[in-house]
Amino acid sequence: MAEYSELLVRASYFLVAVLFIVGLKRMSSPVTARGGILWAGVGMLIATLVTFAWPGMSNYPLIIVAIAIGGIIAWVSGKRVPMTGMPQMVALYNGMGGGSAGAIGAVVLLGGGHDTIHMTLAILGGLIGTVSFSGSLIAFTKLQGWADRQYIFPGQQLFNALVFIATVAAGAYLFVDLTPTNIAIFFGLAFAVGILMTLPIGGADMPVVISLYNALTGLAVAFEGFVLQNEAMIIAGTVVGAAGTLLTQLMARAMNRSLGNVLFSGFGATGGGAALEGEMKPIDAADAAVMMAYADKVIIVPGYGMAVAQAQHKVWELTRQLLDRGVKVKFAIHPVAGRMPGHMNVLLAEAGVPYDLIYDLDEINAEFKTADVSLVIGANDVVNPVAKTDPSSPIYGMPVLDAEESHNVIVIKRGQGRGFAGIDNALFLADNTRMLYGDGQVMAGELLQQVKQL
Amino acid sequence: MEGFVALYIFMLAAFTGYEIIGRVPTILHTPLMSGSNFIHGIVLVGAMVALGEADNLVEQIIGFVAVVLGAGNAVGGYVVTERMLEMFKSSKGKSQSKGEESA
């Protein structure tokens, strides 16, 4: 009997692996993306159900209660969170996966009686999963705005390195003396590593960090899958580990920085770069509306400020007004605008902006020269020309949108503050730039009213 | 499972993951990150086995936590990804209706 149920489970896992890979593949094209998540979802459902038939298991009531608790909490929070809060929810759920992998490692180690290979993989999976767990939780609190600053102290990198070495040593010591106390010390240290690693990283880098922890969780899942001889975990974990690593690299490259630089530089802490001289010139909504309404071509550059102000719906209404007047309107999206790559795309899609109006950096940068007006709404560092001109600036070399090349630039901004990188923005001081101070949604609404009256 | 077969599985799965993401438009980076976040929610099945095979209180407690967290990863990852991709449907529909208006 046990033989047949094991066969059933393993055959189902094979099907699950196929469903996951096809699902992920379908998610990589806008046309099939919605079907993709369904495929993967069916796979997950099958995997969960057949696992109850895994031979030699007990504690079924506990399993069902635990699934209900975790599932319901995640379902409710996932349904309720506003679209702007998506990045931190991804961080949170990812942390839960890492924590789960870490906990599996702990149970396996407590059970004891493993050979060297299984011990090594259980320890590695436990370490990576736990780091991903505590690191993702810190990323979540930062994005949620509960701890929106960096914690930096002298000798931090040395301290972190020592804690990491101690963690590895504690993991290695488990081969010598596998006691519950030593296991607890090891996991405690791994938890600290995740926290210490993430604390000094600034909010602007969080997308890269979340993506990295996503890949790490995948890897941890794969390692624990080896230990449990669970093919579904090995395949799914490894695919995510590899895909997540590539995604992390793409994102780091979009900011023209290496991953090491993101993790260890404490970027944004000091500002740096030459201070800029000049004055920001204000404009009121009526004048800005005239400029846009009588333009041939307007390029809108959204940033995180648009997300915070929930301005995407007003922006789309404004866009439709302009389109009706015969103005060509395009959206320019920087690869790291917002808090996740593609964050802006998701928000604009939510508001109903068709994606053929949305262009990424490479497609649109040459067009700024021919645009009459660039409307920068809540973006800062991604349109800062300093990245091209000042080698001492921390963002030097990062590809930016050439908004300053358009005939006129209107910047909607709450105040005169700096961006996430903490540096002055030469675009705001340029002769052809006018500042429209105010909340993104309110100002977009006023522009809309003014354009309607023309 | 033979150690080397496992190693081959690992390598091939890694290439698969790399290939899937390789040519993805930026617009889908966030949903894909969220989708891959959902897929490693498969950790849930490992957690179920760990709890199912736990035979003392400490293991049961840790196993229980593992299942709660794993279920959270799987369900939360699905809900969030589904909501993100929902918008792509609506935006596609709207762009079609816009095409009709201008026609």
Side-chain angles (χ1 to χ4, degrees):
Chain A
M1 187 58 206
E3 224 170 279
Y4 287 115
S5 54
E6 181 171 353
L7 188 66
L8 168 74
V9 173
R10 295 210 186 271
S12 306
Y13 281 174
F14 180 78
L15 178 66
V16 168
V18 173
L19 287 170
F20 279 170
I21 291 173
V22 173
L24 205 53
K25 181 72 205 164
R26 292 180 77 87
M27 268 186 255
S28 61
S29 153
V31 187
T32 55
R34 264 184 53 78
I37 184 67
L38 269 179
W39 282 66
V42 169
M44 192 68 76
L45 201 61
I46 295 175
T48 311
L49 290 177
V50 300
T51 303
F52 281 102
W54 187 279
M57 293 219 311
S58 52
N59 297 331
Y60 288 110
L62 279 179
I63 295 178
I64 292 171
V65 171
I67 291 179
I69 293 176
I72 290 172
I73 293 174
W75 180 272
V76 172
S77 59
K79 284 282 182 197
R80 281 203 183 150
V81 66
M83 267 302 146
T84 40
M86 287 292 165
Q88 54 263 46
M89 293 321 277
V90 172
L92 184 64
Y93 299 137
N94 175 57
M96 293 174 91
S100 186
I104 294 172
V107 173
V108 167
L109 289 173
L110 284 169
H114 299 287
D115 61 25
T116 315
I117 293 178
H118 284 102
M119 275 279 287
T120 311
L121 288 172
I123 291 172
L124 274 178
L127 170 65
I128 298 171
T130 309
V131 166
S132 171
F133 176 53
S134 56
S136 296
L137 290 187
I138 297 294
F140 170 77
T141 57
K142 285 196 177 206
L143 287 170
Q144 188 77 359
W146 294 345
D148 205 14
R149 45 162 300 199
Q150 297 161 292
Y151 295 87
I152 293 171
F153 54 87
Q156 188 169 25
Q157 289 187 16
L158 183 65
F159 180 74
N160 290 359
L162 288 177
V163 175
F164 182 71
I165 291 169
T167 312
V168 173
Y173 191 68
L174 295 178
F175 286 100
V176 184
D177 189 14
L178 189 64
T179 64
T181 316
N182 288 343
I183 294 172
I185 291 174
F186 166 67
F187 279 98
L189 283 168
F191 192 81
V193 168
I195 295 177
L196 290 169
M197 236 175 93
T198 321
L199 277 179
I201 301 173
D205 286 331
M206 276 306 137
V208 184
V209 174
I210 295 174
S211 177
L212 176 69
Y213 285 140
N214 187 38
L216 284 182
T217 303
L219 202 59
V221 171
F223 283 165
E224 299 301 343
F226 276 115
V227 177
L228 297 174
Q229 308 273 298
N230 186 316
E231 295 88 346
M233 283 171 75
I234 300 176
I235 303 274
T238 311
V239 167
V240 173
T245 306
L246 181 59
L247 204 51
T248 311
Q249 282 173 346
L250 289 176
M251 290 160 65
R253 204 178 300 150
M255 302 166 83
N256 196 36
R257 299 166 60 206
S258 70
L259 195 54
N261 189 256
V262 170
L263 291 177
F264 303 119
S265 70
F267 176 59
T270 50
L276 297 171
E277 300 277 324
E279 215 176 318
M280 300 190 196
K281 295 163 280 288
I283 191 173
D284 62 31
D287 291 343
V290 171
M291 279 166 73
M292 292 172 66
Y294 294 104
D296 277 334
K297 184 164 161 188
V298 172
I299 298 180
I300 300 177
V301 183
Y304 188 62
M306 183 187 81
V308 173
Q310 295 278 3
Q312 61 271 26
H313 298 278
K314 286 275 183 258
V315 168
W316 172 227
E317 274 187 66
L318 174 65
T319 306
R320 273 190 307 200
Q321 279 292 324
L322 294 171
L323 287 170
D324 287 347
R325 297 181 68 99
V327 182
K328 288 193 220 70
V329 184
K330 292 181 175 180
F331 287 86
I333 312 277
H334 190 277
V336 295
R339 289 294 176 274
M340 284 202 293
H343 191 188
M344 291 300 123
N345 304 80
V346 171
L347 288 176
L348 291 174
E350 183 202 15
V353 179
Y355 52 80
D356 48 8
L357 292 186
I358 299 176
Y359 296 84
D360 64 26
L361 185 129
D362 296 334
E363 294 170 326
I364 198 138
N365 241 357
E367 284 198 40
F368 279 103
K369 279 195 277 296
T370 62
D372 300 294
V373 179
S374 287
L375 177 67
V376 177
I377 168 160
N380 192 339
D381 298 327
V382 297
V383 287
N384 193 345
V386 160
K388 292 176 286 190
T389 54
D390 178 6
S392 71
S393 170
I395 61 167
Y396 181 70
M398 177 172 104
V400 288
L401 292 162
D402 298 330
E404 79 280 2
E405 289 186 3
S406 50
H407 302 163
N408 297 286
V409 182
I410 299 169
V411 179
I412 300 182
K413 199 170 178 309
R414 244 207 286 242
Q416 305 205 345
R418 292 163 164 182
F420 241 122
I423 47 178
D424 288 329
N425 192 330
L427 175 70
F428 299 168
L429 306 171
D431 288 336
N432 56 342
T433 302
R434 295 291 178 272
M435 308 297 291
L436 185 54
Y437 291 115
D439 173 78
Q441 186 175 344
V442 175
M443 281 305 139
E446 280 199 22
L447 284 176
L448 175 66
Q449 293 310 321
Q450 297 288 348
V451 170
K452 273 184 184 166
Q453 285 168 18
L454 289 170
Chain B
M1 199 186 323
E2 295 273 336
F4 272 104
V5 175
L7 208 58
Y8 280 113
I9 294 179
F10 190 75
M11 177 198 71
L12 291 172
F15 272 112
T16 309
Y18 223 77
E19 277 303 306
I20 288 174
I21 299 286
R23 286 174 290 275
V24 170
T26 331
I27 181 170
L28 279 171
H29 276 178
T30 291
L32 254 182
M33 188 152 104
S34 181
S36 58
N37 179 35
F38 163 65
I39 283 179
H40 66 52
I42 190 68
V43 72
L44 171 61
V45 305
M48 289 167 70
V49 172
L51 175 56
E53 292 177 350
D55 46 19
N56 61 55
L57 184 65
V58 177
E59 286 181 25
Q60 280 175 346
I61 293 173
I62 301 175
F64 189 82
V65 172
V67 175
V68 170
L69 292 176
N73 184 181
V75 174
Y78 184 85
V79 171
V80 169
T81 310
E82 222 259 333
R83 279 185 61 191
M84 283 184 194
L85 293 174
E86 187 75 30
M87 295 169 203
F88 285 94
K89 188 184 80 179
S90 71
S91 85
K92 197 177 146 217
K94 287 211 176 107
S95 84
Q96 276 167 356
S97 65
K98 187 182 133 268
E100 281 158 23
E101 278 165 28
S102 59

